[in-house]
Amino acid sequence: MSRRKLKQILPDPATLHENWYLRPFRALLHDPALWSLNRRGVTRGCALGVFIAFLPMPGHMIAAALAAVWLRVNLPVAVAATWLSNPLTIAPIFYAGYKNGIVLTGMEELPFTFELTWEWLIHGIAQTLKPLWIGSVVLGLAVATIVYTILNLAWRIYLTYRFHTRRARRQRSSG
C-alpha cells in the first residue's frame, strides 16, 4: 500500500489531539515517530499489532496503543493490526495457540466440557491457561515475524519498482 493511501486511511494526528478522551495522553501523542509513515515504523507497528492480536486477553487495541507509544512505532497501524483477531478469527487463533501450547509444554490435552459453575471457572480455565498463553505467545511471535518480514520485503520491492519506473520516465523524457 502506498504512503498516499495510508495517509488517506489513517487519522490525522491533529484531529486526534482534539478528542476529549485523548486529552490525558496529549503529552505522549506528540512524538512524531507515532505518526510517521516510514518503512520502519509501519512494519514494526503492524508486527506489534499482530503479536498482540494473538494474546488471549481483553483490550487488544488498548494494549497495542500503549505498546506502540512505549516502543515508538506507528500507533494507528499497530491498533489496526489488532483487528486480525475479530469475532470470526478469535476461536481459530486461540485454538491454534492452545494446540501449540500443548505441544510446547508437553501437557495432556483435556477434553472440553462446559459447566456454568464457579468450580469449572476456577479449575477448568486454570488448566487451559498455561498452554493457551505459552502457545499464543510463541504463535504470535512467529506470525508477527512473518508479517514483519513480508511487509518489509514488499515495501522494498515497491520502492525499487518506483525508482526504476521514475528513472525510465526521466530517460525517455531527456532522450
Side-chain angles (χ1 to χ4, degrees), residues 41-122:
V42 171
T43 54
R44 288 180 181 177
C46 193
L48 174 68
V50 168
F51 170 70
I52 290 176
F54 274 81
L55 298 180
M57 64 179 196
H60 287 135
M61 291 191 323
I62 294 169
L66 293 173
V69 169
W70 183 54
L71 296 172
R72 299 185 68 229
V73 298
N74 191 292
L75 177 68
V77 170
V79 170
T82 62
W83 298 340
L84 176 69
S85 66
N86 57 55
L88 295 175
T89 61
I90 197 87
I93 286 173
F94 287 171
Y95 182 71
Y98 176 71
K99 286 292 221 179
N100 190 25
I102 290 293
V103 170
L104 291 173
T105 59
M107 294 177 67
E108 183 179 322
E109 187 173 353
L110 301 172
F112 182 74
T113 58
F114 177 75
E115 299 173 20
L116 196 53
T117 62
W118 285 110
E119 184 178 327
W120 179 83
L121 283 174
I122 293 169

Side-chain angles (χ1 to χ4, degrees), residues 8-72:
Q8 290 173 354
I9 294 170
L10 297 177
D12 183 37
T15 58
L16 287 176
H17 288 293
E18 295 171 5
N19 291 332
W20 63 269
Y21 52 86
L22 292 177
R23 281 190 192 130
F25 307 106
R26 275 190 187 160
L28 295 173
L29 298 179
H30 282 297
D31 187 3
L34 300 176
W35 310 103
S36 67
L37 292 174
N38 58 23
R39 178 180 49 88
R40 181 172 289 138
V42 171
T43 54
R44 288 180 181 177
C46 193
L48 174 68
V50 168
F51 170 70
I52 290 176
F54 274 81
L55 298 180
M57 64 179 196
H60 287 135
M61 291 191 323
I62 294 169
L66 293 173
V69 169
W70 183 54
L71 296 172
R72 299 185 68 229

